[in-house]
């Protein structure tokens, strides 16, 4: 059981870090090219919003699993 929990934790951690890394990468790129264009800002904003939605969905799934596990 403990090994299964460790594997689950490792998978969840990786899945949550991926969208964070993607969003952070887009923000980092903005600072390297000088003043970003409105298009670059809009694209980066959309990427960040999309990645936050992915995280939100995963957290919701984790909460659901936690509730199911209680029963």
């Amino acid at each position: 059981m403990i090994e299964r929990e460790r594997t689950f934790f490792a998978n969840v951690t990786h899945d949550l870090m991926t969208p964070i890394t993607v969003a952070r990468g887009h923000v980092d790129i903005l600072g390297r090219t000088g003043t970003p264009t409105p298009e670059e800002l809009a694209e980066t904003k959309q990427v960040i919003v999309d990645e936050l939605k992915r995280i939100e969905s995963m957290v919701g799934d984790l909460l659901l699993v936690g509730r199911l596990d209680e029963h």
Side-chain angles (χ1 to χ4, degrees):
M1 181 70 146
I2 291 179
E3 186 59 35
R4 193 172 95 191
E5 289 174 356
R6 285 183 183 158
T7 301
F8 175 77
F9 182 74
N11 289 337
V12 167
T13 301
H14 177 267
D15 289 348
L16 287 170
M17 286 304 296
T18 299
I20 293 169
T21 301
V22 170
R24 179 176 285 199
H26 276 75
V27 169
D28 288 346
I29 288 171
L30 281 180
R32 293 182 187 163
T33 59
T35 303
T37 66
E39 293 81 15
E40 290 170 325
L41 288 173
E43 178 184 348
T44 299
K45 176 186 171 198
Q46 190 59 52
V47 167
I48 292 169
V49 167
D50 291 345
E51 297 306 318
L52 286 171
K53 286 179 183 177
R54 283 179 59 195
I55 294 170
E56 213 171 33
S57 175
M58 285 186 266
V59 169
D61 291 346
L62 289 171
L63 290 171
L64 179 61
V65 168
R67 284 189 210 112
L68 293 175
D69 196 41
E70 291 175 355
H71 298 293

